Amino acid sequence: MGSRVIAGKEVQLTENGFLVDPQDWTREMALEIAKEEGIEIMTEAHWGIIDFCRQEGLEAGKAPSLRAIVNGTGVSMKALFELFPKSPDKKVALISGLRMAARCI
Amino acid sequence: MKQLLILGAGTAGTTVANRLRKMLDSQAWGITIVDQDARHYYQPGFLFLPFGLYSQRDVMRPKTRFIPGGVELVLAQIEAIQPEQNRVRLVDGRSLSYDFLVIATGCRNDPEATPGMLEQEWRKSIFDFYTYEGAQALGEHLRTWDGGRLVVNIVDYPIKCPVAPLEFLMLSDWFFQKKGMRERVEITFVTPLEGAFNQPISSRYLGGILERKGVKVVPEFMVEHVDPDAKKLVAYDESEVAFDLLVTVPLNRGDAAINRSGLGDELDYVPVDMQTFQHPKHANIFVLGDAAALPTSKAGSVAHYATDCFSENFVRHLRGQSMQSRFDGHGTCFIESGFGKALMIDFNYEVEPLPGYYPLPGIGPFALLKESRLNHWGKLIFKDLYWSYLVKGHDLGVPPLMSMTGKRRETSEA
């Protein structure tokens, strides 16, 4: 746990780098985190996914699973890997200011 | 007479049937349990089948032995739940009415969800070990396999018993060493996650354990399809991993009847209250065990602790009292690490696995997040406890909610 300034705003982060409070999130912050994750330009397609995650996940504070994103947005799994390369589940959670589903170990 | 209907006679369903039969007046309550399979499996034992450590009699017994008198067992496939009518339709055309319903239909492997998996190489060079048939077929294959590239792969999470693939890898290292052919086997773990350990403290304590056993880890690899002819896994980002022997954990999902009933999430698990197991829309439906969409592991220990909490609560609920016991997502798991040793973890919704001792501070006898011979013996003895006590609903004397006693708190959170 620690704090950091992202897009001019000081926020608390978990050890894994997720926002402690998803209400701290702003769109400017999303742009900056996306850049750190190697996504230089957030296109309309990127925002479509992030908006869906905010809408579905804000209440629980957790990003929906990739399968739930595919079902909810109609964007294919392959396209998700193109938009958010390597680990789209982690990247969409980070960029949308939400956490990932807990892992056992 | 009121009717309690339980769907699924696995660990959760059988345990809760035994518990509630003792707690509910048999003049006032009828209990019926439905399952399509006449055999009860000790599922943690599937891990030992491929290595010849367990055989059929360790892991399979007739279900009738564990269903108590006063509970009717219906062997049939479930077509759909009709919550508005308080009724369950069976595939054979029968209908069962209920006043209260417990869904304990578990989760299943879905190899069909991955193109190429269930084709000509299935159970020839591509195996699963989360089913009795798969684990036995793999054991048969390993007996004469002369080595090559062994790839262990997880298609996607969540999966039943998330530690079993790690155990399989570590037991493989031991098994091939014992057979004197370790140098002819290349063991690779292919996972969609960032690594084998994804909780900060587990990864601090156990990170590197697979590498020390000569297991190569390929992270962030999400399988799109299997090419059975070229014998390779192909990921969504088009990277590839070749194998001679693939041991896969296919996509896990809830029962097909949950999907047909429109009660499931994207993987056919039923969303429920994480503390009481009550369905958010249908107050007379509860969901226990792997069938529930809960942010904890799908594991027998979780089902066992959940059943303890639920049974007390359910009786209170029937008396018109509020449900008091608040389940915390508690689970306790042994992790077999080969050469007669094992690790242990104890966790809940909020607390990730921590180091220390379980259940007594400084004494244990079980060491947390650490290899020990006692942990291994605990794992072996647990099988007999399961068959003789746990599924029969007897109290094991283990508190259902997690305790911090014996654990060392370290600075971290998920």
Side-chain angles (χ1 to χ4, degrees):
Chain A
M1 186 121 149
S3 69
R4 244 193 85 183
V5 176
I6 308 175
K9 187 173 170 184
E10 183 165 355
V11 289
Q12 296 290 314
L13 297 178
T14 71
E15 185 163 321
N16 289 337
F18 295 97
L19 287 191
V20 170
D21 183 358
Q23 300 291 353
D24 283 343
W25 182 88
T26 63
R27 293 179 87 80
E28 292 70 36
M29 226 179 256
L31 288 172
E32 197 167 313
I33 299 168
K35 272 205 182 107
E36 285 168 15
E37 292 301 312
I39 299 160
E40 287 298 323
I41 298 163
M42 286 281 286
T43 64
E44 210 173 299
H46 289 100
W47 279 116
I49 305 299
I50 299 305
D51 289 341
F52 175 80
C53 290
R54 290 292 298 178
Q55 192 187 312
E56 295 295 309
L58 191 56
E59 201 179 322
K62 284 198 178 114
S65 71
L66 293 182
R67 267 164 227 281
I69 297 173
V70 168
N71 291 349
T73 62
V75 173
S76 73
M77 190 72 92
K78 207 164 178 95
L80 284 180
F81 275 82
E82 282 160 13
L83 290 167
F84 304 94
K86 291 302 266 182
S87 48
D89 50 350
K90 186 174 184 191
K91 286 183 181 169
V92 296
L94 282 169
I95 299 170
S96 52
L98 302 166
R99 299 203 201 184
M100 288 173 77
R103 301 299 178 203
C104 163
I105 186 170
Chain B
M1 198 183 217
K2 296 236 179 198
Q3 283 299 326
L4 170 68
L5 180 58
I6 302 168
L7 301 182
T11 302
T14 307
T15 309
V16 84
N18 277 286
R19 281 288 167 93
L20 290 178
R21 188 62 290 171
K22 284 180 218 160
M23 295 166 91
L24 298 177
D25 177 4
S26 56
Q27 302 298 310
W29 280 91
I31 303 180
T32 303
I33 187 164
V34 183
D35 201 291
Q36 58 190 331
D37 195 333
R39 295 155 297 187
H40 188 107
Y41 297 103
Y42 174 59
Q43 297 178 65
F46 290 173
L47 170 72
F48 288 150
L49 291 174
F51 305 107
L53 297 169
Y54 275 1
S55 60
Q56 181 186 321
R57 65 190 177 87
D58 294 299
V59 300
M60 192 204 281
R61 312 236 163 126
K63 274 205 163 86
T64 47
R65 279 197 216 168
F66 307 98
I67 306 298
V71 173
E72 188 192 354
L73 171 65
V74 174
L75 282 175
Q77 213 180 338
I78 299 153
E79 172 65 32
I81 300 158
Q82 297 175 305
E84 309 300 340
Q85 287 86 36
N86 294 327
R87 194 167 64 192
V88 171
R89 278 193 297 119
L90 304 177
V91 168
D92 62 19
R94 282 181 288 174
S95 274
L96 301 170
S97 295
Y98 61 81
D99 294 285
F100 283 90
L101 180 69
V102 173
I103 300 175
T105 42
C107 74
R108 65 192 172 96
N109 276 357
D110 184 12
E112 253 184 301
T114 305
M117 195 178 274
L118 207 55
E119 290 176 18
Q120 66 272 25
E121 286 302 311
W122 181 247
R123 296 198 178 150
K124 289 202 177 83
S125 64
I126 304 176
F127 294 86
D128 63 311
F129 72 96
Y130 275 67
T131 61
Y132 173 74
E133 294 76 15
Q136 287 290 50
L138 178 57
E140 200 60 46
H141 187 76
L142 285 180
R143 220 161 288 158
T144 54
W145 191 54
D146 58 4
R149 292 163 299 186
L150 165 63
V151 172
V152 177
N153 157 251
I154 294 166
V155 169
D156 200 0
Y157 284 87
I159 58 168
K160 189 199 288 267
C161 190
V163 298
L166 305 177
E167 295 180 280
F168 186 90
L169 289 159
M170 295 191 282
L171 279 174
S172 295
D173 169 60
W174 162 81
F175 178 77
F176 293 119
Q177 279 197 47
K178 198 185 60 145
K179 285 185 91 175
M181 57 180 285
R182 182 64 181 89
E183 73 290 350
R184 281 186 277 134
V185 182
E186 187 186 302
I187 308 176
T188 305
F189 179 44
V190 177
T191 170
L193 301 184
E194 284 182 284
F197 300 97
N198 295 277
Q199 288 279 22
I201 294 171
S202 301
S203 111
R204 200 178 302 159
Y205 276 78
L206 305 177
I209 192 171
L210 292 181
E211 288 82 355
R212 283 198 297 280
K213 289 175 183 286
V215 175
K216 187 180 156 209
V217 179
V218 177
E220 298 179 335
F221 189 105
M222 183 117 155
V223 175
E224 193 265 324
H225 74 273
V226 181
D227 185 335
D229 297 318
K231 291 199 179 172
K232 59 187 185 189
L233 295 169
V234 183
Y236 281 101
D237 66 4
E238 287 169 13
S239 50
E240 297 179 350
V241 172
F243 61 84
D244 297 302
L245 172 58
L246 175 64
V247 176
T248 186
V249 181
L251 182 68
N252 277 209
R253 67 190 331 149
D255 197 86
I258 301 300
N259 184 296
R260 290 194 288 269
S261 312
L263 288 171
D265 65 8
E266 71 275 13
L267 282 170
D268 304 334
Y269 299 120
V270 189
V272 280
D273 184 283
M274 62 196 265
Q275 296 181 327
T276 65
F277 314 103
Q278 192 170 31
H279 192 276
K281 288 201 194 97
H282 308 288
N284 62 342
I285 298 182
F286 293 83
V287 188
L288 292 175
D290 295 347
L294 290 176
T296 185
S297 291
K298 298 195 179 296
S301 61
V302 176
H304 165 212
Y305 296 140
T307 301
D308 280 357
C309 285
F310 167 75
S311 305
E312 298 288 335
N313 258 342
F314 184 63
V315 173
R316 289 183 60 84
H317 185 63
L318 293 181
R319 289 192 198 122
Q321 296 164 321
S322 67
M323 293 190 274
Q324 275 190 334
S325 173
R326 302 281 174 198
F327 186 57
D328 61 350
H330 185 201
T332 313
C333 305
F334 292 105
I335 307 173
E336 192 69 10
S337 56
F339 298 94
K341 289 185 180 173
L343 301 132
M344 187 187 230
I345 53 171
D346 192 56
F347 55 89
N348 69 14
Y349 289 137
E350 300 299 329
V351 181
E352 65 179 295
L354 293 174
Y357 291 92
Y358 178 87
L360 301 171
I363 297 168
F366 302 120
L368 296 170
L369 281 185
K370 202 170 127 186
E371 282 189 285
S372 86
R373 289 197 183 278
L374 252 163
N375 288 345
H376 166 72
W377 287 110
K379 180 157 181 125
L380 295 188
I381 289 163
F382 191 77
K383 181 195 72 182
D384 297 318
L385 287 179
Y386 180 91
W387 287 123
S388 306
Y389 295 94
L390 195 148
V391 274
K392 292 181 179 169
H394 300 306
D395 191 355
L396 290 190
V398 197
L401 299 182
M402 200 203 77
S403 162
M404 282 304 291
T405 307
K407 295 187 177 66
R408 288 200 305 279
R409 179 68 94 168
E410 304 205 356
T411 43
S412 163
E413 78 304 283

